[in-house]
Amino acid sequence: MLKQQSDSWQLVWPDASQPVFTDGITVVTAQQWQQQLQAVKRFIAMQPGDTVLLYQADPVLFSAWFVALCQLGKHIVLAPDGQPDTLDLASAHSDWQVPQAPVRAENSVFQPTLLLQSCSKVSFFTSGSTGQPKLITKHLSQLLLEVQTLQQQFGMALRGQTLFAATVSFQHIYGLLFRMLWPLCYGYTQHRTQLSYLEQWQALLQQYDVVLVASPAHLARFDDIATLAPYAVRCQRIFSSGGPLNDAVPQRYVAALQQAPTE
């Protein structure tokens, strides 16, 4: 649960055994996630400089670094991908880069409340489609206010054991808000693997109530959506961002799953 204070945000965890991430087999609990969080906080405290380049392919590691940096009031620069040229460009705007290898975690006491500093900032790169990519910066409070709005607008209709899954990266603002921060702040479990195929989504719907965070390209490419009709009740909601859907695409989803993607 997310609560705003005057100069910080409270992230409240009701239970150490709460599942935070899963790959469908192995579960990462809040206790295990916090052990990684405490390890990276110790690492950060030993580094000079307050502007930090963050790229992690694993959402468990990414989320631990992101929250730890926000706890310490750092400025996070998100690289859109892990390509060497991209990281070189992003590193020019940073004092140091988060290591790719996991930091060794040790047993630590579970903390039901974590404080995130409102002064923290997060910078994203534009796509660069009209020239050199540019850095756009938001305050953490702006992002978390958006997360609060998502929960108020859509969260009340979600069942408690909802799984968030995505075809999009959390290194971009859409994926960061919808795929990563919203479930992390409000106690929904996240699927650890980014989806690429309709069959992956189908397998999840056989086990979980699912919110899918997707791009228009993936939703248009899932042309055999009718195969998901037997699992329609488990499809909680579909989000789409990054461009408009072709008019025919929502109709296919309504026919199969009784709902159109929320654009």
Side-chain angles (χ1 to χ4, degrees):
M1 184 65 68
L2 190 64
K3 297 180 181 180
Q4 187 177 15
Q5 297 183 328
S6 58
D7 58 353
S8 64
W9 290 77
Q10 279 189 344
L11 192 54
V12 180
W13 301 82
D15 191 334
S17 63
Q18 173 184 334
V20 183
F21 291 92
T22 184
D23 58 8
I25 301 173
T26 304
V27 171
V28 176
T29 66
Q31 172 76 59
Q32 294 167 326
W33 181 82
Q34 279 200 12
Q35 289 174 355
Q36 185 64 47
L37 173 70
Q38 296 304 323
V40 300
K41 275 184 70 177
R42 290 191 292 270
F43 183 95
I44 295 166
M46 295 186 294
Q47 308 307 310
D50 292 328
T51 303
V52 184
L53 172 57
L54 174 56
Y55 176 80
Q56 283 284 352
D58 184 347
V60 176
L61 296 179
F62 176 92
S63 60
W65 280 104
F66 188 94
V67 171
L69 290 165
C70 291
Q71 283 190 288
L72 297 173
K74 303 298 185 181
H75 179 181
I76 302 169
V77 176
L78 294 181
D81 58 60
Q83 297 299 315
D85 288 348
T86 304
L87 295 178
D88 286 344
L89 172 65
S91 65
H93 300 272
S94 312
D95 297 320
W96 58 277
Q97 180 180 345
V98 164
Q100 293 300 296
V103 177
R104 181 180 177 183
E106 300 175 357
N107 291 335
S108 57
V109 177
F110 178 74
Q111 299 181 20
T113 302
L114 303 176
L115 291 181
L116 312 183
Q117 299 303 315
S118 296
C119 62
S120 300
K121 294 186 289 186
V122 183
S123 293
F124 308 83
F125 282 92
T126 61
S127 65
S129 58
T130 57
Q132 186 75 4
K134 296 179 181 179
L135 211 57
I136 304 298
T137 300
K138 286 182 173 285
H139 288 280
L140 177 66
S141 287
Q142 292 175 286
L143 299 177
L144 295 185
L145 285 170
E146 291 190 49
V147 169
Q148 277 190 333
T149 301
L150 291 175
Q151 177 65 13
Q152 292 165 2
Q153 184 71 26
F154 304 111
M156 302 307 172
L158 301 181
R159 293 184 280 274
Q161 297 305 310
T162 295
L163 179 76
F164 275 64
T167 70
V168 298
S169 169
F170 42 77
Q171 296 280 153
H172 301 267
I173 190 167
Y174 167 49
L176 179 69
L177 289 170
F178 281 73
R179 172 187 174 179
M180 176 63 65
L181 294 182
W182 181 13
L184 189 69
C185 291
Y186 284 95
Y188 304 110
T189 306
Q190 299 180 50
H191 187 56
R192 196 166 179 172
T193 303
Q194 188 167 314
L195 307 187
S196 298
Y197 305 105
L198 180 69
E199 292 78 10
Q200 294 172 295
W201 185 15
Q202 183 177 24
L204 292 179
L205 288 170
Q206 293 172 357
Q207 301 180 66
Y208 306 99
D209 296 324
V210 178
V211 169
L212 181 69
V213 180
S215 68
H218 277 101
L219 293 177
R221 200 174 72 212
F222 292 161
D223 54 2
D224 200 14
I225 196 70
T227 59
L228 302 187
Y231 315 106
V233 69
R234 285 196 149 176
C235 183
Q236 298 252 336
R237 188 174 284 271
I238 307 161
F239 291 100
S240 176
S241 183
L245 289 169
N246 182 283
D247 290 344
V249 175
Q251 297 173 15
R252 291 197 284 110
Y253 282 80
V254 170
L257 298 171
Q258 287 79 62
Q259 64 172 297
T262 300
E263 296 188 68

